[in-house]
Amino acid sequence: EAGVTQFPSHSVIEKGQTVTLRCDPISGHDNLYWYRRVMGKEIKFLLHFVKESKQDESGMPNNRFLAERTGGTYSTLKVQPAELEDSGVYFCASSQWARRGPGANVLTFGAGSRLTVL
Amino acid sequence: QKEVEQNSGPLSVPEGAIASLNCTYSDRGSQSFFWYRQYSGKSPELIMSIYSNGDKEDGRFTAQLNKASQYVSLLIRDSQPSDSATYLCAVTGNQFYFGTGTSLTVIP
């Protein structure tokens, strides 16, 4: 079974430019999550898709970030225009279930996309 | 207050010793607790999950949960150099909350 794949693994852009990150979840996983880790900080939630619908986007920092999941398969996260504070590692994770309670939300992570904004 | 607190370390233990990693969380309604291991430049991988009070053992790993104290820990027995990594505590409340991670180094 293929895992969660992310592309690119590393992107270096200048402030003001646009970057699009892609995540392919595990096949059959309806739930897709985006997280971000800024150096020295904890991994923070950005948003959660259930199939193609945004279930929770409360973690999106501002309107420069746009996430899509057309057709409920892969997802993209676009940052436009990028700022210096957007630098970090963006992780995608997927899970088959998203219910609360024991056993819920066992996430499988991708390797992350490291974004460096200069 | 952070949702999940971990000592960032680094924690160093000699090979063969027991490594003890600790985590506290703020949401008393949390129901699921996880330990992820992350090697440098790699994705976090799930190593333990625990849902009820007490101990859960899996090979050299033991997770301990105390909901009254809002505390979850991970013990690694007979530590090996290959255990050197960052260990992330994660707790599910309304969302999946992570700690900052504890860096563990096992010295040969």
Side-chain angles (χ1 to χ4, degrees):
Chain A
E1 176 187 72
V4 177
T5 57
Q6 293 187 246
F7 180 84
S9 58
H10 191 187
S11 180
V12 181
I13 61 173
E14 293 187 348
K15 175 182 173 180
Q17 291 186 319
T18 298
V19 64
T20 300
L21 311 177
R22 172 172 169 145
C23 169
D24 287 76
I26 291 174
S27 178
H29 281 194
D30 287 342
N31 297 280
L32 186 150
Y33 304 80
W34 282 99
Y35 289 85
R36 177 173 71 173
R37 182 165 190 163
V38 174
M39 185 176 291
K41 304 288 186 182
E42 68 272 24
I43 297 175
K44 281 198 168 180
F45 167 80
L46 295 179
L47 87 159
H48 169 207
F49 283 100
V50 177
K51 297 184 181 180
E52 67 274 11
S53 300
K54 291 178 184 175
Q55 183 76 10
D56 183 347
E57 54 184 329
S58 61
M60 295 286 265
N62 51 60
N63 59 10
R64 295 186 293 102
F65 289 75
L66 176 64
E68 294 179 325
R69 192 182 182 194
T70 306
T73 54
Y74 71 91
S75 174
T76 58
L77 179 64
K78 179 188 288 187
V79 185
Q80 178 183 30
E83 298 289 344
L84 298 178
E85 64 265 24
D86 300 332
S87 296
V89 181
Y90 290 78
F91 288 102
C92 176
S94 71
S95 71
Q96 188 172 13
W97 310 111
R99 63 182 181 273
R100 290 179 63 100
N105 291 353
V106 176
L107 301 182
T108 301
F109 282 84
S113 292
R114 180 176 296 276
L115 173 63
T116 302
V117 182
L118 303 176
Chain B
Q1 181 187 12
K2 291 183 179 179
E3 297 284 347
V4 179
E5 299 264 9
Q6 290 183 256
N7 289 328
S8 62
L11 173 66
S12 294
V13 300
E15 184 174 356
I18 295 175
S20 178
L21 306 166
N22 304 314
C23 172
T24 58
Y25 59 94
S26 61
D27 183 2
R28 284 195 171 273
S30 300
Q31 296 187 17
S32 302
F33 308 86
F34 306 91
W35 283 98
Y36 281 82
R37 177 178 62 199
Q38 186 177 21
Y39 293 111
S40 181
K42 303 294 184 182
S43 58
E45 57 177 332
L46 180 68
I47 55 172
M48 287 288 285
S49 59
I50 187 166
Y51 309 110
S52 55
N53 280 328
D55 295 0
K56 179 182 178 182
E57 186 174 319
D58 183 1
R60 296 185 296 110
F61 298 95
T62 299
Q64 300 174 317
L65 175 62
N66 183 327
K67 289 188 177 180
S69 300
Q70 296 173 242
Y71 175 92
V72 58
S73 66
L74 179 70
L75 300 178
I76 306 174
R77 291 182 301 281
D78 187 24
S79 296
Q80 301 297 309
S82 59
D83 295 327
S84 298
T86 296
Y87 290 80
L88 301 165
C89 174
V91 173
T92 56
N94 289 324
Q95 279 301 336
F96 212 91
Y97 297 104
F98 287 87
T100 54
T102 299
S103 175
L104 171 66
T105 300
V106 180
I107 304 167

